[in-house]
Amino acid sequence: MAAVAAFQSFGRRRGMSNDDGPDEYEEQRRKEKEELRARQMRIKEKVPGRRATGKAKAGDIDAVLDEIKDEWAVVTNPDFNPVDLALQLLDDSSLGKDMESFRRTKDMLSRAMKGSVDKHYQAFNAALPHHSSLLNHLDATQSQIKDARNALQEAKETLGSKRADLVQLWSRNQTVEEMMRILDQIEHLRSVPDALESLILEKRLLQAAALLVRSLKLINKPDMLEIGAISDLRSYLVGQETTLRDILVDELHSHLYLKSFWCESRWTVYNPNQQNFVAQTSLEEGDGSNSTDRPLSMSSPVSPTAPRATRVAKFLDDLALRPNDPPFNVNDSNYRHSLSAGLTASTSAYGFSSSASTNALSTFASASNSQPRNPEADSFAYIEMLLESLAALGKLGTGLDIVAQKLPGEVYSLIENTIEEVSERAEYGRRGSMIGMMDSGSAAGRPIDLSMLAGPVITSNALGIAGVAVSVALQGSTINARRTITDATNLRLIALESSTKVIDQDILKDFFWTLYSKLIAVSEGLRVVYEVANRIGSRRDYKDPSGTKPGALFPLEDVWAPIQAEVRTLLSDYITDEEQGAISGRNPISSINEVLREGRFIRDKGKPIFRFADTDAKFATKALRQHEEELTRILKDTVPGLVQGSENALQATLAAVGTDDRLMGTGQHHRVLVHPNAFHVSVLFQPTLAFLDRISDVLPAGLETARASSAVLDEFVLKVYLPQLEDKVSALFHQTVTSPDAFEPDSASLLLSPKPLVKASVQLMALINSLCVMLRTTPFHRENYSRLILTVIGKFYQRCSDRFYDLVAVKGGSSPEDDSRIALAAQWAQKPELGPCLSELLKLLSGDTSAATKQQVCRQETHLENSLLGEGAVGKHDLIPSIRNVSALASLYHSVTWFAAQLEVLKGTDDATSLTSALRLEPFSALSPTSPYLPIVTPVQPGEQLRLPLSSAMALRFQALHMTYVQLAELVLYTIRIDVRCRVIHHLDLALRHGIYRIEREAAEPDPHIIDLNTEIGNSDASLTSSLPEVQRKFVFEGMGHLMQHLLISNARFVQSANSLGIKKMMRNMLALQQNIKTITEDSNSTDFERAKRYYSLFLLSPPDMLDTVRQKQEFTFDEYKAILDLQCGVQPNLKNNGAQAADRNYNMYLIELHGLELENSADGS
């Protein structure tokens, strides 16, 4: 039948061709000739031997052809006319051709052809048989064509006659073909279950979904519905549709919530010193050629975001560049060929068949190697495949609804699993620490190794000062660090830094960094679902049976809300302590204390009494195993078949109860790993803000979401954390400054300063450093931190001032006014006229100036002090009570100076007074609605200089406080100097007033008051040497010899009486003072007492001789000469005003003469 139909078709075509006419035939023949000629010309041009290469030898056929082409090119023209050439050859004129040249060329051509024939005659002979054979074949072919023509003519005649049996054969053929088609379809449907299971096992779920949808379309056709044999198969396929949807949703949950092994590369466990989340790069991490070709961005047609070179960014970037076409066309009529190509072997590509759309998913479109990669290796592409599979099933909207409904429970389970992991690691760490402590017997007194801590480690008792620790980098040795500590910014206050236990901080960091890494991975998966779902929904032919709008298939903002609520709950659980009066709703189970506090307790219906899900699964299994086995045995004996033999029935029941309980939404909270503490907030800032920073890039509206999530931190810092921090800082400050040894020097502080510091200054500097570090790690309300630090600084100044007045307070009487009186040195130190003089002297000692300048300043100071003292005397009650107080003042001065210097270092440069981000856009305190960035935490790096960030107003206040410390230090130092000078004034006054200088025998020792003075000066020098720096110590004793010499001369009027032996005693006093002063000071000019010795040597002269020396050179004042004259003439000081007579009758004459000399001197000087 087929042959007859073919012959008829051929006959019709031939008949049509015969009717076309001769014109068409001629035109066709002409075109064929032209094509043949053009083809021959192309062949001729391509023949290498026929080209004019210019390298052929003379006589060769190639050389002859080259010459013909050059001189007789006209004969090579296809339209060559020989008649024209013959006429030109016969023309003897200049227009004709050269006959001789033509003949010569012809002869050359003949010889060349003869040579070629002679050379290749064997080939020509061999070609003759082939030519004969070719002719025979052509004859045979011609005979066959004639036979075929006759056969076709007969077939045409046969088919031209009508036959009734052919119509019946054609109808029967159609029926048979329809039956064969149905049988083929049934056979194909019978193979679908096995193929479907194979595809599902191989995780080729998209092909399984396409196969199932096409099979359902096929089996539900009207002609297939009439076949009862496939009803069971139809029911199976309908059931498999629901099963496959559940499998797809489960697989989607596995990759969204990191249950699959292939998702472990999307999150990381906490590492010590971690400061940020490591961006997960693409799968080809070893091949970096594609990672930096162009900037990647998490862009999509739906929601573009900021660029970030992460794996999800690369995936979304590639997703946006691909055409938005479905990977399978379930309405393709060629489905059988398509599916057969995809089901040939499991070793074929994990992708789509050749007949599928070329715009299929790129991950599955290419054929795999000999060992195909698991489809789950690329988690995001696998999620896309799952969503495409749900879309192919028509269950995308339903599946995404299930995902959104189960998200709270899945996130809860994710957090619970993380808690278990961190708990196991913490228990392992505790055991390792205990083993390490047992093994390190020789280091029993040393602190436990804190190598698991991130950032600088707080090494306890590194200085030996109670409550103060040193921040040491993990990379360095703790012992070496202790030996080389010189920077006070490394000090930390243990009580504040260790407000929470170190192990608790470590557990918190482990838990939150690990959990946030998982939540970031979950958020990235949700973002992929969101983008792929919107991409599928935006297709022109997409229709969702659930009726959901294409743009609202997966509302990411609503889906993110449960995760945000879990994060807020976790933060609240770890930073809010119920026992300290915070929110009492953290614990969902009513406590016994609540019952006992309320006399008549009414149970809160929102708090369950207990939950099976909160029980310990291991303990429950161990305790109830016996009872469960007994119950199972009885049930099997009495009611066979009721018990399924599940060994984990109890655990399954507990899990089911716990899950149902969570789904009730009764405000579930997780088991806390450490006790809640408000000071945990400083540990949680860094991971939380790093998490929110990543979320702001992952989610479409990430920045607003991050702001909303950070609001709980902002509110907590303002309402709970800062008040508690202020209370704790106040308590620590009070404990520091009120302890009995607060202002006692500590030799352990020699590592920080050349001289010992008082404990309070070191501890408070450690407190301020700790607050600065906490300020760096707290991005909210930083101005409140700064205000708190300035408050501590101001209070310490007040306490130092109180300490100063306590040390200089003296008790001179019984009245309250006398009890509150301060020493004379403190009073003089506050006099405005003395301040510039003392300040100038201190500057001179700090520099390199001449001795004359310093002596001039010292004389000025002595003159001012004499003017302040007047005719009075310095009594014992005017001095600072003891040398110990002077030593305490010296320690106070050095500590205050050191403290002020450290404050200046903390303040740093002007650029450091405002803590801003790299773009100078970070808000100083809390988040503001107009701020375009999230706050940034910049932890203090090892070796980094601490800085106290201040606003302009705070900087002015800080500068004022710093000036008060400087002024207090100057006041303390001036008081020490003036007090030592007052002791000199006091003892020399006693030595001259009450000393006995009329003696009968030579004195072997100085006056007792001189001995006391030397003793006090020596004690003062010993105490000040150990407490003051060298420059300040010199400042205290500078000009001491000049003052003593001045007092010995000016107070000579208080000597009662004297003789030559008494004057020798006075010289001995000077010698004792000279020796003592030389051991203390280096000023040899003012410690030889030459002027005082010359003055008292006048006593050994007679009054006339003394007057002669005055007449020659007046070195001393009138009063000083008069005092010596009184001693020479025997006038007693206490009887001068009572008209006592001098022993020498010429006293009045000598006095008149002395007055005359004074008047003459005055006249000469004027």
Side-chain angles (χ1 to χ4, degrees):
M1 298 292 290
V4 174
F7 288 147
Q8 287 181 348
S9 175
F10 178 77
R12 285 194 298 271
R13 287 199 300 269
R14 183 175 180 183
M16 292 173 61
S17 64
N18 292 333
D19 297 338
D20 288 340
D23 296 337
E24 249 184 63
Y25 177 74
E26 292 297 333
E27 182 68 20
Q28 185 176 358
R29 291 287 294 172
R30 185 178 62 80
K31 288 182 180 180
E32 289 178 355
K33 288 182 179 180
E34 291 179 356
E35 291 177 358
L36 180 62
R37 188 182 296 109
R39 185 165 59 252
Q40 290 176 351
M41 290 296 295
R42 288 195 298 270
I43 294 173
K44 182 178 180 182
E45 292 176 356
K46 292 181 181 180
V47 175
R50 303 295 301 276
R51 293 180 181 176
T53 59
K55 298 180 182 180
K57 296 180 181 180
D60 290 347
I61 190 169
D62 292 334
V64 176
L65 291 176
D66 291 342
E67 184 177 353
I68 293 173
K69 188 173 183 181
D70 293 338
E71 298 180 2
W72 303 95
V74 64
V75 299
T76 61
N77 193 349
D79 298 330
F80 168 65
N81 189 358
V83 178
D84 293 340
L85 179 60
L87 294 176
Q88 290 177 359
L89 290 174
L90 295 176
D91 189 1
D92 295 333
S93 65
S94 60
L95 298 177
K97 299 288 185 178
D98 187 5
M99 176 63 75
E100 292 300 328
S101 175
F102 180 77
R103 288 176 178 175
R104 185 170 58 254
T105 303
K106 175 179 177 297
D107 294 340
M108 289 173 58
L109 180 61
S110 299
R111 288 194 297 271
M113 291 181 63
K114 183 178 181 181
S116 296
V117 170
D118 293 341
K119 185 178 181 180
H120 303 288
Y121 71 94
Q122 293 181 352
F124 292 152
N125 292 333
L128 293 176
H130 289 289
H131 181 263
S132 176
S133 177
L134 179 62
L135 292 177
N136 294 332
H137 282 296
L138 288 176
D139 293 338
T141 303
Q142 186 176 8
S143 300
Q144 292 176 1
I145 290 173
K146 289 181 180 179
D147 295 340
R149 180 178 179 183
N150 295 331
L152 289 174
Q153 188 68 29
E154 292 176 1
K156 178 180 179 182
E157 295 175 357
T158 304
L159 293 174
S161 59
K162 295 183 179 181
R163 294 178 57 182
D165 56 341
L166 292 179
V167 177
Q168 297 177 359
L169 289 175
W170 178 82
S171 300
R172 185 175 181 184
N173 180 65
Q174 294 293 326
T175 304
V176 171
E177 285 184 356
E178 183 67 19
M179 293 173 63
M180 291 295 295
R181 183 182 63 82
I182 293 176
L183 290 175
D184 288 344
Q185 291 179 350
I186 293 175
E187 186 65 23
H188 166 71
L189 290 174
R190 287 181 58 191
S191 65
V192 165
D194 294 338
L196 196 62
E197 292 179 4
S198 176
L199 291 173
I200 293 175
L201 289 176
E202 295 174 2
K203 297 300 179 67
R204 298 158 65 184
L205 299 176
L206 181 56
Q207 290 174 287
L211 174 61
L212 180 61
V213 170
R214 289 168 175 170
S215 299
L216 285 173
K217 285 182 175 293
L218 177 62
I219 204 170
N220 288 324
K221 286 183 177 181
D223 52 353
M224 299 295 260
L225 292 174
E226 300 175 358
I227 302 175
I230 59 174
S231 58
D232 294 340
L233 182 59
R234 184 181 296 106
S235 302
Y236 169 79
L237 293 178
V238 172
Q240 283 297 104
E241 184 179 16
T242 304
T243 303
L244 183 58
R245 185 204 65 184
D246 296 339
I247 292 174
L248 291 172
V249 173
D250 291 341
E251 290 290 323
L252 189 59
H253 282 164
S254 297
H255 281 260
L256 278 179
Y257 307 112
L258 314 177
K259 299 178 183 179
S260 174
F261 163 78
W262 301 98
C263 298
E264 292 184 0
S265 61
R266 291 170 52 194
W267 61 276
T268 57
V269 182
Y270 166 72
N271 292 321
N273 298 325
Q274 182 173 347
Q275 301 296 336
N276 211 331
F277 291 103
V278 179
Q280 298 296 325
T281 56
S282 60
L283 289 177
E284 295 81 5
E285 293 181 356
D287 183 13
S289 59
N290 299 330
S291 59
T292 58
D293 290 343
R294 60 185 176 84
L296 300 175
S297 62
M298 294 178 61
S299 58
S300 68
V302 182
S303 56
T305 59
R308 183 71 67 90
T310 58
R311 184 186 299 179
V312 65
K314 183 178 183 303
F315 175 81
L316 295 180
D317 191 65
D318 294 340
L319 183 68
L321 296 177
R322 274 185 279 151
N324 189 13
D325 295 327
F328 274 113
N329 184 10
V330 295
N331 296 320
D332 187 7
S333 59
N334 196 20
Y335 68 94
R336 291 177 62 185
H337 179 273
S338 171
L339 291 176
S340 62
L343 301 177
T344 53
S346 60
T347 58
S348 62
Y350 283 113
F352 309 120
S353 61
S354 57
S355 63
S357 173
T358 58
N359 295 321
L361 300 177
S362 60
T363 306
F364 300 95
S366 61
S368 61
N369 298 329
S370 59
Q371 292 183 354
R373 189 179 68 181
N374 194 300
E376 296 185 76
D378 189 350
S379 186
F380 296 141
Y382 190 68
I383 291 175
E384 182 186 7
M385 186 199 72
L386 295 175
L387 295 177
E388 292 284 1
S389 303
L390 286 172
L393 285 176
K395 304 293 184 181
L396 181 59
T398 305
L400 293 180
D401 289 342
I402 296 174
V403 171
Q405 292 171 6
K406 290 188 176 181
L407 186 137
E410 294 289 347
V411 173
Y412 186 94
S413 301
L414 177 69
I415 297 175
E416 286 293 323
N417 294 335
T418 307
I419 291 175
E420 294 298 328
E421 295 174 8
V422 175
S423 178
E424 291 178 2
R425 286 198 294 267
E427 183 64 25
Y428 179 79
R430 291 191 188 99
R431 293 177 181 176
S433 299
M434 293 299 295
I435 295 174
M437 291 176 61
M438 295 171 63
D439 292 341
S440 58
S442 60
R446 292 182 296 177
I448 301 175
D449 181 19
L450 304 177
S451 59
M452 287 298 291
L453 281 179
V457 176
I458 304 303
T459 305
S460 301
N461 298 327
L463 286 174
I465 300 178
V468 178
V470 180
S471 175
V472 182
L474 279 174
Q475 290 79 5
S477 170
T478 304
I479 298 177
N480 294 334
R482 293 180 191 174
R483 292 175 181 171
T484 59
I485 290 173
T486 56
D487 191 356
T489 56
N490 289 329
L491 297 179
R492 301 290 184 269
L493 193 66
I494 297 176
L496 190 62
E497 293 278 348
S498 301
S499 299
T500 59
K501 296 179 181 179
V502 175
I503 189 64
D504 289 350
Q505 295 180 12
D506 189 22
I507 293 174
L508 278 180
K509 291 177 181 178
D510 186 7
F511 173 62
F512 275 92
W513 281 103
T514 304
L515 177 63
Y516 284 154
S517 179
K518 291 185 177 181
L519 292 181
I520 289 173
V522 171
S523 303
E524 290 176 346
L526 294 176
R527 174 68 187 276
V528 170
V529 172
Y530 170 76
E531 297 292 351
V532 174
N534 288 342
R535 175 184 172 90
I536 295 173
S538 62
R539 290 171 183 166
R540 182 170 51 187
D541 56 345
Y542 173 77
K543 294 181 181 180
D544 189 74
S546 62
T548 307
K549 295 181 179 180
L553 285 172
F554 195 69
L556 195 57
E557 292 78 6
D558 298 341
V559 173
W560 169 252
I563 301 178
Q564 184 179 10
E566 286 288 352
V567 172
R568 289 188 176 186
T569 302
L570 283 173
L571 292 176
S572 178
D573 286 351
Y574 282 97
I575 60 182
T576 304
D577 190 0
E578 298 175 5
E579 297 178 359
Q580 297 181 1
I583 304 173
S584 61
R586 186 188 64 80
N587 189 1
I589 300 177
S590 302
S591 64
I592 298 177
N593 292 332
E594 293 176 348
V595 179
L596 296 178
R597 277 199 303 265
E598 307 284 343
R600 183 175 55 84
F601 179 73
I602 300 176
R603 187 175 75 85
D604 187 2
K605 299 298 181 64
K607 293 184 178 182
I609 299 177
F610 67 94
R611 293 195 308 269
F612 281 109
D614 290 337
T615 58
D616 189 353
K618 296 181 179 179
F619 177 77
T621 302
K622 183 177 179 180
L624 302 179
R625 173 70 68 182
Q626 178 181 359
H627 305 286
E628 183 185 4
E629 292 177 352
E630 184 68 19
L631 178 61
T632 303
R633 185 182 60 80
I634 294 175
L635 289 176
K636 285 183 177 180
D637 293 341
T638 56
V639 189
L642 179 62
V643 180
Q644 300 299 324
S646 175
E647 297 182 357
N648 298 323
L650 178 61
Q651 288 80 355
T653 303
L654 291 177
V657 171
T659 303
D660 294 340
D661 193 14
R662 288 194 295 270
L663 293 177
M664 291 171 62
T666 56
Q668 296 299 315
H669 291 261
H670 301 275
R671 174 172 66 91
V672 291
L673 294 169
V674 298
H675 187 72
N677 193 323
F679 288 89
H680 286 159
V681 71
S682 60
V683 180
L684 302 182
F685 273 134
Q686 179 71 14
T688 302
L689 291 178
F691 166 69
L692 295 178
D693 179 56
R694 286 294 302 276
I695 290 300
S696 64
D697 291 334
V698 172
L699 300 183
L703 187 59
E704 291 75 10
T705 304
R707 287 181 182 282
S709 300
S710 61
V712 62
L713 290 175
D714 182 273
E715 181 180 1
F716 179 83
V717 169
L718 183 63
K719 294 184 178 180
V720 179
Y721 176 60
L722 282 177
Q724 291 191 17
L725 179 62
E726 291 175 0
D727 295 342
K728 184 153 190 173
V729 169
S730 178
L732 291 173
F733 176 84
H734 185 268
Q735 178 184 355
T736 300
V737 299
T738 58
S739 61
D741 58 347
F743 287 92
E744 294 296 326
D746 195 335
S747 59
S749 61
L750 290 175
L751 288 173
L752 300 172
S753 173
K755 303 297 179 181
L757 302 169
V758 297
K759 290 184 179 180
S761 64
V762 178
Q763 291 175 346
L764 288 181
M765 182 50 62
L767 173 62
I768 292 172
N769 289 343
S770 297
L771 289 174
C772 288
V773 174
M774 296 174 70
L775 185 148
R776 287 286 299 272
T777 58
T778 307
F780 304 102
H781 303 285
R782 286 174 166 167
E783 192 170 356
N784 292 340
Y785 275 90
S786 302
R787 187 179 294 109
L788 180 60
I789 294 173
L790 294 184
T791 302
V792 171
I793 297 173
K795 286 183 178 180
F796 184 57
Y797 165 76
Q798 187 62 41
R799 189 65 187 88
C800 290
S801 179
D802 295 342
R803 172 67 174 173
F804 167 73
Y805 284 104
D806 290 342
L807 292 174
V808 299
V810 294
K811 296 181 179 179
S814 59
S815 62
E817 290 79 6
D818 293 338
D819 291 341
S820 61
R821 194 169 61 87
I822 61 176
L824 185 63
Q827 298 178 24
W828 286 4
Q830 300 181 50
K831 297 294 183 180
E833 52 267 31
L834 265 180
C837 180
L838 295 173
S839 178
E840 181 67 21
L841 179 61
L842 184 58
K843 290 180 181 179
L844 292 175
L845 289 175
S846 301
D848 187 9
T849 56
S850 62
T853 307
K854 293 187 284 188
Q855 288 180 7
Q856 181 181 358
V857 177
C858 290
R859 291 192 187 97
Q860 181 183 358
E861 179 191 3
T862 303
H863 174 72
L864 291 173
E865 290 171 351
N866 286 333
S867 64
L868 290 173
L869 183 61
E871 294 298 327
V874 177
K876 184 71 174 177
H877 58 277
D878 292 326
L879 303 176
I880 294 177
S882 66
I883 299 298
R884 185 176 181 181
N885 285 21
V886 176
S887 177
L889 282 175
S891 298
L892 179 64
Y893 164 78
H894 180 58
S895 300
V896 170
T897 306
W898 176 83
F899 192 82
Q902 297 305 319
L903 291 182
E904 188 67 20
V905 171
L906 275 182
K907 181 176 181 293
T909 60
D910 295 337
D911 295 337
T913 57
S914 60
L915 186 61
T916 57
S917 64
L919 298 177
R920 301 291 181 190
L921 295 172
E922 180 186 345
F924 184 77
S925 59
L927 280 172
S928 60
T930 60
S931 175
Y933 298 101
L934 284 173
I936 300 174
V937 173
T938 55
V940 179
Q941 300 297 329
E944 181 183 354
Q945 185 70 37
L946 277 180
R947 288 289 182 266
L948 176 60
L950 298 171
S951 62
S952 56
M954 289 291 181
L956 294 176
R957 184 182 173 189
F958 178 87
Q959 194 65 30
L961 285 174
H962 184 266
M963 286 302 300
T964 58
Y965 274 95
V966 174
Q967 294 171 1
L968 177 61
E970 293 178 350
L971 176 62
V972 174
L973 184 62
Y974 297 166
T975 301
I976 296 173
R977 173 179 170 83
I978 296 174
D979 183 74
V980 173
R981 296 172 69 87
C982 285
R983 290 178 188 277
V984 173
I985 296 173
H986 170 69
H987 285 284
L988 286 180
D989 184 70
L990 292 178
L992 294 176
R993 285 179 186 271
H994 304 290
I996 301 174
Y997 296 99
R998 180 175 289 275
I999 55 179
E1000 300 299 329
R1001 65 183 67 177
E1002 186 175 354
E1005 293 182 356
D1007 189 84
H1009 297 290
I1010 298 299
I1011 297 174
D1012 293 342
L1013 175 59
N1014 283 338
T1015 302
E1016 287 202 7
I1017 292 177
N1019 293 336
S1020 298
D1021 178 61
S1023 62
L1024 295 179
T1025 301
S1026 62
S1027 302
L1028 285 180
E1030 185 61 24
V1031 174
Q1032 282 73 20
R1033 189 197 68 81
K1034 289 181 180 180
F1035 170 76
V1036 171
F1037 295 102
E1038 183 66 27
M1040 191 69 64
H1042 176 270
L1043 174 65
M1044 291 178 177
Q1045 185 171 246
H1046 172 75
L1047 291 174
L1048 287 172
I1049 296 173
S1050 62
N1051 290 350
R1053 67 184 185 276
F1054 299 130
V1055 178
Q1056 298 293 331
S1057 61
N1059 57 14
S1060 59
L1061 294 178
I1063 295 303
K1064 288 185 178 180
K1065 181 181 178 180
M1066 185 65 72
M1067 295 297 182
R1068 187 176 294 279
N1069 290 344
M1070 295 180 195
L1071 181 60
L1073 292 173
Q1074 178 183 349
Q1075 292 175 348
N1076 191 25
I1077 291 300
K1078 279 187 176 181
T1079 61
I1080 296 175
T1081 64
E1082 299 175 356
D1083 188 6
S1084 60
N1085 296 326
S1086 61
T1087 56
D1088 52 6
F1089 293 93
E1090 291 296 330
R1091 187 170 183 270
K1093 291 177 182 179
R1094 290 195 301 271
Y1095 176 74
Y1096 281 98
S1097 296
L1098 295 174
F1099 178 82
L1100 301 177
L1101 301 175
S1102 61
D1105 293 338
M1106 187 195 72
L1107 292 174
D1108 289 339
T1109 58
V1110 174
R1111 192 176 290 111
Q1112 294 174 5
K1113 180 183 179 182
Q1114 186 174 354
E1115 185 180 359
F1116 305 100
T1117 64
F1118 172 80
D1119 292 334
E1120 293 169 352
Y1121 280 118
K1122 182 178 180 297
I1124 289 294
L1125 184 62
D1126 290 343
L1127 289 176
Q1128 289 175 337
C1129 296
V1131 178
Q1132 297 183 0
N1134 55 353
L1135 299 178
K1136 292 176 182 178
N1137 297 331
N1138 296 331
Q1141 297 295 326
D1144 191 342
R1145 295 179 179 180
N1146 298 322
Y1147 171 73
N1148 290 330
M1149 184 180 61
Y1150 298 148
L1151 188 59
I1152 292 171
E1153 186 176 356
L1154 183 61
H1155 273 288
L1157 292 174
E1158 177 66 21
L1159 291 175
E1160 289 178 4
N1161 247 350
S1162 299
D1164 294 340
S1166 62

